[in-house]
Amino acid sequence: MTSLPARYGRRLALAAFPGAACLVLAVTAGCTTQTIQGPLYTPAPPPPAPADLTRALLDPADLTGLSDTYRTDIRQDPDKPTSATRPECQAALDQLELDQPSQSGVVQARANFAASDSAASDSGPWLQEVIRSYPGDGAANALSTAQATLAGCGTFTVGYPDGSQTQLTVQPVAVPHIGDQDWAVQITADTGALRLTDTLVLARVKDVLLIVSHATTSAAPIAEITTIANRAVAKLATS
């Protein structure tokens, strides 16, 4: 049964156990009181505060022993496309990687990293982790909705405010089992002058959705991306 807000607890107690009303009416009605042990229901835990989720984010110390050495990257989000031949696909990608969630009760934390030498080479890789806590079945629904949308996107074109265009190809990829539910996709962005591969791993841990993005101009190492995602799940579970 779905837990109900705590403010309804006393009203439910009187409705479910009429004898409990004697606790209130004992002085005037002289009724016999009884002791009710244990909660009538288990309140749903409050959503994590942003600070709680922030503590669960990876940091550079969690990213050692990989092909690249990562540093924290403070950056501005890129310009969003102003047009797309598959607008539902672009919207789904933006909602996962760029947008703040608009649903009530959803809490988010985000961290960005870059390889220590990426500033000099501009080839990446770049790494982003997003953690979102959802009420109820929100995390499972968000993952399933993203999967249903992106799995059928194929290749489409997006346009930017400066008139430039980029061709995006979305291809699901297999990853070892991560968390309670998982799915992964590779997005290849081709401007004609530059080709970037963004591997996006979605993993659900109970009511939390974890989104790990790994972008690079070279070949995307699935095994390493999976390692990063598993480290993120492990840190989330112990935070």
Side-chain angles (χ1 to χ4, degrees):
M1 181 182 73
T2 302
S3 300
L4 297 174
R7 65 178 177 273
Y8 296 124
R10 184 172 177 276
R11 184 184 304 170
L12 288 175
L14 297 180
F17 296 90
C22 294
L23 297 174
V24 179
L25 303 175
V27 175
T28 58
C31 58
T32 302
T33 63
Q34 61 178 325
T35 301
I36 302 173
Q37 296 183 349
L40 299 180
Y41 66 96
T42 302
D52 295 332
L53 288 184
T54 299
R55 285 193 293 270
L57 289 168
L58 295 171
D59 59 45
D62 301 312
L63 299 171
T64 58
L66 301 171
S67 298
D68 294 278
T69 301
Y70 288 91
R71 57 177 171 80
T72 301
D73 185 33
I74 306 299
R75 65 171 178 81
Q76 292 183 334
D77 286 333
D79 290 335
K80 289 185 180 181
T82 53
S83 65
T85 56
R86 294 292 301 273
E88 76 281 10
C89 297
Q90 185 57 46
L93 292 174
D94 287 346
Q95 288 165 8
L96 291 171
E97 297 188 285
L98 297 178
D99 294 346
Q100 287 288 335
S102 59
Q103 305 97 312
S104 175
V106 180
V107 183
Q108 172 175 295
R110 181 167 65 170
N112 292 94
F113 308 92
S116 296
D117 61 351
S118 63
S121 66
D122 276 340
S123 63
W126 299 274
L127 180 66
Q128 176 174 270
E129 179 190 13
V130 175
I131 301 176
R132 287 181 185 160
S133 171
Y134 289 79
D137 295 328
N141 293 337
L143 194 156
S144 297
T145 299
Q147 179 178 353
T149 301
L150 294 175
C153 287
T155 297
F156 61 100
T157 301
V158 297
Y160 292 90
D162 62 0
S164 63
Q165 292 187 329
T166 297
Q167 179 177 280
L168 300 181
T169 299
V170 180
Q171 178 65 46
V173 294
V175 294
H177 183 65
I178 303 170
D180 299 320
Q181 180 185 4
D182 62 80
W183 190 67
V185 65
Q186 280 190 341
I187 305 101
T188 302
D190 192 344
T191 68
L194 178 69
R195 186 181 178 90
L196 183 76
T197 300
D198 178 14
T199 304
L200 185 63
V201 177
L202 310 180
R204 180 181 62 82
V205 180
K206 296 182 180 179
D207 59 354
V208 174
L209 179 62
L210 180 71
I211 307 165
V212 175
S213 307
H214 180 283
T216 179
T217 56
S218 56
I222 296 298
E224 181 154 311
I225 296 164
T226 302
T227 296
I228 294 170
N230 276 316
R231 290 186 186 182
V233 168
K235 186 165 185 177
L236 176 64
T238 57
S239 297

